[in-house]
Amino acid sequence: MAFFFPVTAARVQEFGEKMGDELLGVVEILRELFGEEVQWDFNVVKRDFEKALKGEGWKLKKRDLDLIYQIFTEKDEGGEGVILKRTKKGVVYQPDVELRDTENVPLKEDIEEYFQREVLPHVPDAWIDFDKVVRGYEISFTKYFYKFQKLRSLEDIVEELLELEKETEGMLKEIIY
């Protein structure tokens, strides 16, 4: 997932409406750093912006920072991935929550083999978050407990509708007059 970062007048107005006037100094920091020119690498924007905030003595809550990023960023499929953290094993990128999906893997089947065979051919950059893997059973109550009841014939339904229509005939006249 990648973002680009435009600081436009419309976004500044939206920021003022959502955040209030006490944080307008933050907008000035954004303007000084980036102007109205679109920034294509969100990782650089985040690093420079948070460094500038610290230098100016601003201490924002995480939810305020998240709202600022939400207001001033737009998703870009072709841009640089957003780095969540760096570990000894490598870089961990922020996943795109809009693309999150689940699979029901047959219980006796290996998850990784199923993933290789059924998912990767269609979504080559998919991955598994093993912290969220849940094993369980799915019981179809309909399959085991549903008792089929024969449907009424069309003639019976039409007959019932005509009877109801006759019963309500006088009601409409009472309401109108």
Side-chain angles (χ1 to χ4, degrees):
M1 174 174 61
F3 293 101
F4 63 96
F5 199 86
V7 182
T8 62
R11 290 176 191 268
V12 170
Q13 182 179 354
E14 181 183 351
F15 176 81
E17 291 169 1
K18 288 186 177 179
M19 301 292 284
D21 293 337
E22 66 272 1
L23 293 177
L24 285 178
V26 173
V27 173
E28 291 309 313
I29 293 173
L30 286 171
R31 281 193 175 137
E32 286 173 18
L33 284 173
F34 310 114
E36 287 200 13
E37 200 170 302
V38 173
Q39 304 297 313
W40 292 99
D41 189 346
F42 183 77
N43 299 307
V44 172
V45 169
K46 185 175 181 180
R47 181 195 66 212
D48 293 349
F49 177 57
E50 290 179 8
K51 188 176 177 182
L53 283 175
K54 192 174 186 179
E56 295 284 329
W58 286 89
K59 292 184 180 179
L60 297 177
K61 296 175 187 168
K62 183 176 178 342
R63 68 177 169 84
D64 291 338
L65 270 175
D66 289 344
L67 187 58
I68 290 168
Y69 294 140
Q70 180 185 345
I71 292 171
F72 288 102
T73 56
E74 287 186 35
K75 194 172 170 181
D76 176 30
E77 297 297 332
E80 291 291 320
V82 176
I83 297 173
L84 195 57
K85 62 183 174 182
R86 296 179 191 273
T87 65
K88 290 180 182 177
K89 294 179 181 178
V91 177
V92 176
Y93 292 97
Q94 181 175 337
D96 187 350
V97 294
E98 293 176 7
L99 299 177
R100 188 170 290 153
D101 197 6
T102 60
E103 287 284 329
N104 290 330
V105 180
L107 190 63
K108 294 181 180 180
E109 196 163 339
D110 180 57
I111 293 172
E112 289 189 42
E113 287 177 14
Y114 179 88
F115 183 72
Q116 294 285 331
R117 187 183 69 246
E118 300 291 335
V119 178
L120 286 180
H122 306 286
V123 187
D125 60 345
W127 52 278
I128 301 172
D129 185 357
F130 285 101
D131 294 335
K132 295 183 180 178
V133 170
V134 178
R135 289 186 178 264
Y137 293 98
E138 182 178 54
I139 300 172
S140 173
F141 286 96
T142 304
K143 182 177 178 181
Y144 295 106
F145 301 109
Y146 176 73
K147 302 274 191 263
F148 178 75
Q149 295 178 356
K150 187 177 178 191
L151 299 175
R152 297 185 302 164
S153 69
L154 185 59
E155 292 80 21
D156 291 343
I157 296 171
V158 169
E159 185 178 311
E160 186 178 335
L161 285 173
L162 291 172
E163 285 178 26
L164 287 171
E165 191 177 318
K166 286 179 186 176
E167 288 177 18
T168 59
E169 240 179 60
M171 288 183 177
L172 186 60
K173 289 180 183 175
E174 288 176 20
I175 292 172
I176 294 175
Y177 300 112

